[in-house]
């Protein structure tokens, strides 16, 4: 881990703070404006999901270097009720909030990697989504 910063998601302003942090760090790493927009859109969606469905959580952003390539790792964590049907929420067009349904499938398309782990088990509830984006 080279550098990591986290934003606690408690209210809607925290979504803005997470987006701004993501844009700042992605610019520092050397991402172009299109990839900066992709990253901030993904962060916004992840943070909004935490706010809407879990109540609270955090977005952590980490600079990475692997095999001489610069990149960014984003981890969205919450201790909410978990996702009962991961397969369903990963379908394009699926929405529970009345939105456009781009949600998590959109995040997966915007980033280079996407991993979702969620538990609805009593006492171990929550969701962790880990994504990566590499400078091209």
């Amino acid at each position: 881990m080279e550098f990591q910063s986290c934003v606690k998601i408690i209210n809607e302003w925290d979504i803005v703070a997470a987006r701004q942090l993501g844009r700042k760090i992605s610019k520092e790493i050397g991402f172009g404006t299109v990839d900066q927009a992709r990253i901030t859109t993904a962060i916004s969606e992840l943070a909004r999901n935490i706010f809407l469905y879990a109540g609270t959580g955090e977005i952590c952003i980490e600079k990475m270097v692997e095999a001489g390539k610069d990149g960014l790792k984003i981890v969205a964590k919450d201790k909410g009720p978990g996702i009962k049907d991961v397969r369903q929420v990963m379908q394009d067009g699926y929405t529970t909030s009345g939105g456009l349904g781009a949600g998590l499938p959109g995040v997966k398309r915007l980033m280079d990697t996407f991993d979702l782990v969620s538990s609805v088990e009593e006492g171990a509830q929550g969701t962790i989504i880990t994504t990566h984006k590499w400078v091209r």
Side-chain angles (χ1 to χ4, degrees):
M1 177 169 74
E2 192 176 302
F3 166 89
Q4 182 181 10
S5 186
C6 297
V7 175
K8 293 223 180 282
I9 306 299
I10 299 167
N11 60 52
E12 289 190 82
W13 288 109
D14 299 328
I15 299 168
V16 175
R19 279 180 60 93
Q20 289 172 338
L21 179 65
R23 183 173 300 277
K24 177 181 176 281
I25 294 171
S26 63
K27 186 175 184 177
E28 289 171 1
I29 291 172
F31 284 99
T33 54
V34 171
D35 277 338
Q36 288 175 39
R38 288 180 176 125
I39 290 164
T40 56
T41 300
I43 290 170
S44 183
E45 185 62 39
L46 293 169
R48 183 160 301 289
N49 281 353
I50 289 170
F51 177 71
L52 289 175
Y53 303 113
T56 63
E58 67 181 354
I59 300 284
C60 295
I61 302 168
E62 181 180 331
K63 293 180 182 180
M64 300 184 334
V65 178
E66 192 174 289
K69 290 175 62 175
D70 293 322
L72 191 67
K73 176 180 178 180
I74 301 165
V75 179
K77 297 186 261 188
D78 68 61
K79 298 224 184 280
I83 300 170
K84 287 185 178 95
D85 190 344
V86 171
R87 189 173 301 168
Q88 185 178 37
V89 300
M90 291 307 296
Q91 291 177 2
D92 278 319
Y94 175 78
T95 179
T96 57
S97 65
L100 297 175
L104 296 179
V107 172
K108 185 175 182 177
R109 281 191 299 275
L110 291 168
M111 303 299 286
D112 294 331
T113 68
F114 179 94
D115 181 60
L116 186 158
V117 177
S118 190
S119 175
V120 295
E121 301 279 326
E122 189 79 26
Q125 295 171 315
T127 301
I128 301 172
I129 297 173
T130 306
T131 65
H132 299 88
K133 189 75 169 171
W134 299 101
V135 176
R136 299 186 198 293

